[in-house]
Coordinates of all heavy atoms in Angstrom, one line a residue:
R1 N 22.4 0.7 17.8 CA 21.2 1.4 17.4 C 20.0 0.5 16.9 O 20.3 -0.3 16.0 CB 21.6 2.4 16.2 CG 22.7 3.2 16.6 CD 22.3 4.3 17.7 NE 23.4 5.2 17.9 CZ 23.4 6.2 18.9 NH1 22.4 6.1 19.7 NH2 24.4 6.9 19.2
L2 N 18.8 0.6 17.6 CA 17.8 -0.3 17.2 C 16.9 0.2 16.1 O 16.9 1.5 15.9 CB 16.8 -0.5 18.5 CG 17.5 -0.9 19.7 CD1 16.4 -1.1 20.8 CD2 18.2 -2.3 19.5
E3 N 16.5 -0.7 15.2 CA 15.7 -0.3 14.1 C 14.4 -1.1 14.1 O 14.4 -2.3 14.4 CB 16.5 -0.5 12.7 CG 17.7 0.2 12.7 CD 18.6 -0.3 11.4 OE1 18.0 -1.0 10.6 OE2 19.8 0.3 11.3
G4 N 13.4 -0.6 13.6 CA 12.1 -1.3 13.3 C 11.5 -1.8 14.6 O 11.1 -3.0 14.5
V5 N 11.5 -1.1 15.6 CA 10.9 -1.6 16.8 C 9.4 -1.7 16.7 O 8.7 -0.8 16.2 CB 11.2 -0.6 18.0 CG1 10.5 -1.1 19.4 CG2 12.7 -0.6 18.2
R6 N 8.8 -2.9 17.1 CA 7.4 -3.0 17.2 C 6.9 -3.6 18.4 O 7.8 -4.4 19.1 CB 7.0 -3.9 15.9 CG 7.4 -5.3 15.9 CD 6.8 -6.2 14.8 NE 5.4 -6.4 15.1 CZ 4.5 -6.3 14.3 NH1 4.6 -5.7 13.2 NH2 3.2 -6.6 14.6
V7 N 5.6 -3.5 18.7 CA 5.1 -4.1 20.1 C 3.9 -4.9 19.6 O 3.0 -4.4 19.0 CB 4.8 -3.0 21.1 CG1 4.2 -3.6 22.3 CG2 6.1 -2.2 21.4
D8 N 3.8 -6.1 20.1 CA 2.5 -6.9 20.0 C 2.2 -7.4 21.5 O 3.0 -7.5 22.4 CB 3.0 -8.2 19.2 CG 3.4 -7.8 17.7 OD1 2.6 -7.3 16.9 OD2 4.6 -8.1 17.4
V9 N 1.0 -7.8 21.6 CA 0.6 -8.5 22.9 C 1.0 -9.8 22.7 O 1.2 -10.4 21.7 CB -1.0 -8.4 23.0 CG1 -1.5 -6.9 23.3 CG2 -1.6 -9.0 21.8
G10 N 1.4 -10.4 24.0 CA 2.0 -11.7 24.0 C 1.7 -12.5 25.2 O 0.9 -12.2 26.0
G11 N 2.4 -13.6 25.4 CA 2.2 -14.7 26.4 C 1.6 -15.8 25.5 O 0.9 -15.6 24.6
K12 N 2.0 -17.0 26.0 CA 1.6 -18.2 25.1 C 0.2 -18.4 24.8 O -0.3 -18.6 23.8 CB 2.3 -19.5 25.6 CG 3.7 -19.4 25.8 CD 4.4 -20.6 26.3 CE 4.1 -21.9 25.5 NZ 4.8 -21.9 24.3
G13 N -0.6 -18.2 26.0 CA -2.1 -18.4 25.8 C -2.7 -17.3 24.8 O -3.5 -17.5 24.1
V14 N -2.3 -16.1 25.0 CA -2.6 -14.9 24.1 C -2.2 -15.3 22.6 O -3.1 -15.1 21.8 CB -2.0 -13.6 24.5 CG1 -2.1 -12.5 23.5 CG2 -2.7 -13.1 25.9
N15 N -0.9 -15.8 22.4 CA -0.5 -16.2 21.1 C -1.5 -17.1 20.5 O -1.8 -17.1 19.3 CB 0.8 -16.7 21.1 CG 1.9 -15.7 21.6 OD1 1.7 -14.5 21.4 ND2 3.1 -16.1 21.9
V16 N -1.8 -18.2 21.3 CA -2.8 -19.2 20.7 C -4.0 -18.6 20.3 O -4.6 -18.9 19.2 CB -2.9 -20.4 21.7 CG1 -3.9 -21.3 21.2 CG2 -1.6 -21.1 22.0
A17 N -4.6 -17.8 21.2 CA -5.8 -17.1 20.8 C -5.7 -16.3 19.5 O -6.7 -16.3 18.7 CB -6.4 -16.3 22.0
V18 N -4.7 -15.5 19.4 CA -4.5 -14.6 18.3 C -4.4 -15.4 17.0 O -5.0 -15.2 16.0 CB -3.2 -13.7 18.4 CG1 -2.9 -13.1 17.0 CG2 -3.5 -12.8 19.5
V19 N -3.7 -16.5 17.1 CA -3.5 -17.5 15.7 C -4.9 -18.0 15.5 O -5.3 -18.0 14.3 CB -2.6 -18.6 16.1 CG1 -2.7 -19.7 15.1 CG2 -1.1 -18.0 16.3
L20 N -5.7 -18.5 16.5 CA -7.0 -18.9 16.2 C -7.9 -17.9 15.6 O -8.6 -18.2 14.6 CB -7.7 -19.5 17.5 CG -7.2 -20.8 18.1 CD1 -7.6 -21.0 19.5 CD2 -7.7 -22.0 17.1
S21 N -7.9 -16.7 16.1 CA -8.7 -15.6 15.6 C -8.3 -15.4 14.1 O -9.2 -15.2 13.2 CB -8.6 -14.4 16.4 OG -9.2 -13.4 15.9
R22 N -7.0 -15.3 13.8 CA -6.5 -15.1 12.5 C -6.9 -16.1 11.5 O -7.1 -16.0 10.3 CB -5.0 -14.8 12.5 CG -4.7 -13.5 13.2 CD -3.2 -13.3 13.0 NE -2.8 -12.0 13.8 CZ -1.5 -11.5 13.8 NH1 -0.5 -12.2 13.1 NH2 -1.3 -10.4 14.4
L23 N -7.0 -17.4 12.0 CA -7.4 -18.5 11.2 C -9.0 -18.7 11.1 O -9.4 -19.7 10.6 CB -6.7 -19.8 11.7 CG -5.2 -19.8 11.5 CD1 -4.6 -21.1 12.2 CD2 -4.8 -19.6 10.1
G24 N -9.7 -17.8 11.8 CA -11.2 -17.8 11.5 C -12.0 -18.5 12.6 O -13.1 -18.9 12.4
V25 N -11.3 -18.9 13.7 CA -12.0 -19.8 14.8 C -12.4 -18.8 16.0 O -11.6 -18.0 16.4 CB -10.9 -20.8 15.2 CG1 -11.5 -21.7 16.4 CG2 -10.4 -21.7 14.1
R26 N -13.6 -19.0 16.4 CA -14.1 -18.1 17.5 C -13.4 -18.6 18.8 O -13.5 -19.9 19.1 CB -15.6 -18.3 17.6 CG -16.2 -17.3 18.5 CD -17.7 -17.2 18.2 NE -18.4 -18.4 18.7 CZ -19.0 -18.7 19.8 NH1 -19.0 -17.7 20.7 NH2 -19.6 -19.7 20.2
C27 N -12.7 -17.6 19.5 CA -12.0 -18.1 20.7 C -12.1 -16.9 21.5 O -12.4 -15.7 21.4 CB -10.7 -18.4 20.3 SG -9.7 -17.0 19.8
G28 N -11.8 -17.2 22.9 CA -11.6 -16.2 23.9 C -10.4 -16.5 24.7 O -10.0 -17.7 24.7
C29 N -9.9 -15.5 25.4 CA -8.8 -15.8 26.3 C -9.1 -15.2 27.8 O -9.7 -14.2 27.8 CB -7.5 -15.0 25.8 SG -6.1 -15.2 26.6
V30 N -8.8 -15.9 28.8 CA -8.9 -15.5 30.1 C -7.6 -15.5 30.8 O -6.7 -16.3 30.6 CB -9.8 -16.7 30.9 CG1 -9.9 -16.1 32.3 CG2 -11.2 -16.8 30.3
G31 N -7.3 -14.2 31.3 CA -6.0 -14.0 31.9 C -6.0 -13.1 33.0 O -7.0 -12.9 33.7
C32 N -4.8 -12.6 33.3 CA -4.5 -11.7 34.4 C -3.8 -10.4 33.8 O -3.1 -10.6 32.9 CB -3.7 -12.2 35.5 SG -4.3 -13.7 36.2
L33 N -4.1 -9.3 34.3 CA -3.4 -8.1 33.9 C -3.1 -7.2 35.1 O -3.9 -7.0 36.0 CB -4.4 -7.2 33.0 CG -4.5 -7.7 31.6 CD1 -5.4 -6.7 30.8 CD2 -3.2 -7.8 30.8

């Protein structure tokens, strides 16, 4: 039985961009969807 399921956007380049944004650095990410 699973508990506390959550979903985040991911992928290493996305992760780096999210960290930068949370630390107050202006950034963008280029990818494929």
Side-chain angles (χ1 to χ4, degrees):
R1 303 296 180 186
L2 302 181
E3 301 176 3
V5 178
R6 63 171 289 128
V7 178
D8 301 289
V9 290
K12 293 177 69 64
V14 167
N15 291 344
V16 175
V18 169
V19 169
L20 285 167
S21 177
R22 292 184 181 181
L23 296 180
V25 180
R26 192 165 67 95
C27 66
C29 183
V30 180
C32 306
L33 283 182

